[in-house]
Short mmCIF file of all heavy atoms in Angstrom, two decimals:
data_model
loop_
_atom_site.label_atom_id
_atom_site.label_comp_id
_atom_site.label_asym_id
_atom_site.label_seq_id
_atom_site.Cartn_x
_atom_site.Cartn_y
_atom_site.Cartn_z
N ILE A 84 -5.60 45.21 48.31
CA ILE A 84 -6.75 46.08 48.04
C ILE A 84 -6.75 47.28 48.99
O ILE A 84 -6.98 48.43 48.59
CB ILE A 84 -8.05 45.27 48.18
CG1 ILE A 84 -8.15 44.23 47.06
CG2 ILE A 84 -9.27 46.21 48.14
CD1 ILE A 84 -9.34 43.30 47.20
N PHE A 85 -6.44 47.03 50.26
CA PHE A 85 -6.42 48.11 51.26
C PHE A 85 -5.34 49.13 50.94
O PHE A 85 -5.59 50.35 50.93
CB PHE A 85 -6.20 47.50 52.65
CG PHE A 85 -6.08 48.51 53.75
CD1 PHE A 85 -7.19 49.22 54.18
CD2 PHE A 85 -4.85 48.77 54.34
CE1 PHE A 85 -7.08 50.16 55.20
CE2 PHE A 85 -4.73 49.71 55.35
CZ PHE A 85 -5.85 50.40 55.78
N VAL A 86 -4.12 48.65 50.66
CA VAL A 86 -3.01 49.56 50.34
C VAL A 86 -3.30 50.31 49.04
O VAL A 86 -3.00 51.50 48.92
CB VAL A 86 -1.69 48.76 50.24
CG1 VAL A 86 -0.57 49.65 49.70
CG2 VAL A 86 -1.30 48.22 51.60
N GLY A 87 -3.89 49.62 48.06
CA GLY A 87 -4.21 50.29 46.80
C GLY A 87 -5.18 51.43 46.98
O GLY A 87 -5.04 52.50 46.36
N ALA A 88 -6.19 51.25 47.83
CA ALA A 88 -7.15 52.32 48.08
C ALA A 88 -6.48 53.52 48.74
O ALA A 88 -6.72 54.68 48.36
CB ALA A 88 -8.29 51.79 48.95
N LEU A 89 -5.61 53.27 49.74
CA LEU A 89 -4.89 54.36 50.39
C LEU A 89 -3.94 55.06 49.41
O LEU A 89 -3.79 56.28 49.44
CB LEU A 89 -4.10 53.82 51.58
CG LEU A 89 -4.91 53.31 52.77
CD1 LEU A 89 -3.99 52.75 53.84
CD2 LEU A 89 -5.79 54.42 53.35
N LEU A 90 -3.30 54.27 48.54
CA LEU A 90 -2.37 54.84 47.57
C LEU A 90 -3.07 55.80 46.62
O LEU A 90 -2.58 56.91 46.37
CB LEU A 90 -1.70 53.70 46.79
CG LEU A 90 -0.84 54.11 45.61
CD1 LEU A 90 0.36 54.92 46.09
CD2 LEU A 90 -0.37 52.88 44.83
N VAL A 91 -4.20 55.38 46.09
CA VAL A 91 -4.94 56.25 45.16
C VAL A 91 -5.37 57.53 45.86
O VAL A 91 -5.31 58.63 45.29
CB VAL A 91 -6.15 55.49 44.59
CG1 VAL A 91 -7.07 56.43 43.81
CG2 VAL A 91 -5.69 54.35 43.68
N ASP A 92 -5.76 57.43 47.13
CA ASP A 92 -6.18 58.61 47.89
C ASP A 92 -5.02 59.59 48.06
O ASP A 92 -5.18 60.80 47.86
CB ASP A 92 -6.75 58.18 49.24
CG ASP A 92 -7.23 59.35 50.06
OD1 ASP A 92 -8.20 60.00 49.64
OD2 ASP A 92 -6.63 59.62 51.12
N GLN A 93 -3.83 59.07 48.44
CA GLN A 93 -2.68 59.95 48.64
C GLN A 93 -2.21 60.55 47.32
O GLN A 93 -1.80 61.71 47.26
CB GLN A 93 -1.53 59.19 49.31
CG GLN A 93 -1.79 58.89 50.76
CD GLN A 93 -0.50 58.58 51.52
OE1 GLN A 93 0.59 58.64 50.97
NE2 GLN A 93 -0.64 58.24 52.79
N ALA A 94 -2.24 59.76 46.24
CA ALA A 94 -1.83 60.27 44.93
C ALA A 94 -2.76 61.39 44.47
O ALA A 94 -2.31 62.40 43.91
CB ALA A 94 -1.81 59.14 43.90
N ALA A 95 -4.05 61.23 44.71
CA ALA A 95 -5.00 62.28 44.36
C ALA A 95 -4.73 63.54 45.16
O ALA A 95 -4.85 64.66 44.64
CB ALA A 95 -6.43 61.78 44.59
N ASP A 96 -4.34 63.39 46.43
CA ASP A 96 -4.03 64.54 47.28
C ASP A 96 -2.80 65.28 46.76
O ASP A 96 -2.78 66.52 46.70
CB ASP A 96 -3.81 64.07 48.71
CG ASP A 96 -3.43 65.21 49.64
OD1 ASP A 96 -4.24 66.13 49.83
OD2 ASP A 96 -2.29 65.19 50.17
N PHE A 153 -1.34 57.92 39.07
CA PHE A 153 -1.90 57.13 40.16
C PHE A 153 -3.35 57.53 40.44
O PHE A 153 -4.20 56.68 40.68
CB PHE A 153 -1.05 57.29 41.43
CG PHE A 153 0.24 56.53 41.41
CD1 PHE A 153 1.44 57.19 41.30
CD2 PHE A 153 0.25 55.14 41.48
CE1 PHE A 153 2.63 56.50 41.27
CE2 PHE A 153 1.43 54.44 41.44
CZ PHE A 153 2.63 55.11 41.34
N ALA A 154 -3.61 58.84 40.41
CA ALA A 154 -4.98 59.27 40.68
C ALA A 154 -5.93 58.80 39.59
O ALA A 154 -7.09 58.47 39.85
CB ALA A 154 -5.03 60.79 40.79
N LEU A 245 2.98 56.90 52.29
CA LEU A 245 2.57 55.65 51.64
C LEU A 245 2.85 55.71 50.14
O LEU A 245 3.35 54.74 49.56
CB LEU A 245 1.08 55.39 51.89
CG LEU A 245 0.51 54.16 51.19
CD1 LEU A 245 1.17 52.89 51.69
CD2 LEU A 245 -1.00 54.08 51.38
N LEU A 246 2.55 56.85 49.52
CA LEU A 246 2.80 57.01 48.09
C LEU A 246 4.29 56.83 47.78
O LEU A 246 4.66 56.10 46.86
CB LEU A 246 2.32 58.38 47.63
CG LEU A 246 2.64 58.77 46.18
CD1 LEU A 246 1.96 57.81 45.22
CD2 LEU A 246 2.22 60.21 45.91
N TRP A 247 5.15 57.48 48.58
CA TRP A 247 6.59 57.37 48.32
C TRP A 247 7.09 55.96 48.64
O TRP A 247 8.03 55.47 47.99
CB TRP A 247 7.35 58.40 49.15
CG TRP A 247 7.02 59.81 48.76
CD1 TRP A 247 6.48 60.78 49.54
CD2 TRP A 247 7.18 60.40 47.46
NE1 TRP A 247 6.29 61.94 48.83
CE2 TRP A 247 6.72 61.73 47.55
CE3 TRP A 247 7.66 59.93 46.24
CZ2 TRP A 247 6.73 62.60 46.46
CZ3 TRP A 247 7.68 60.79 45.15
CH2 TRP A 247 7.22 62.09 45.26
N GLY A 248 6.48 55.30 49.61
CA GLY A 248 6.84 53.92 49.89
C GLY A 248 6.54 53.01 48.71
O GLY A 248 7.35 52.14 48.35
N VAL A 249 5.38 53.20 48.08
CA VAL A 249 5.02 52.40 46.90
C VAL A 249 5.96 52.70 45.74
O VAL A 249 6.39 51.80 45.01
CB VAL A 249 3.56 52.65 46.50
CG1 VAL A 249 3.24 51.98 45.18
CG2 VAL A 249 2.61 52.15 47.59
N VAL A 250 6.30 53.99 45.57
CA VAL A 250 7.24 54.37 44.49
C VAL A 250 8.59 53.69 44.72
O VAL A 250 9.22 53.18 43.78
CB VAL A 250 7.39 55.90 44.43
CG1 VAL A 250 8.49 56.28 43.44
CG2 VAL A 250 6.08 56.54 44.02
#
Side-chain angles (χ1 to χ4, degrees):
I84 293 174
F85 176 72
V86 171
L89 293 178
L90 172 64
V91 170
D92 182 65
Q93 287 200 3
D96 178 64
F153 284 109
L245 176 63
L246 174 62
W247 296 120
V249 172
V250 173

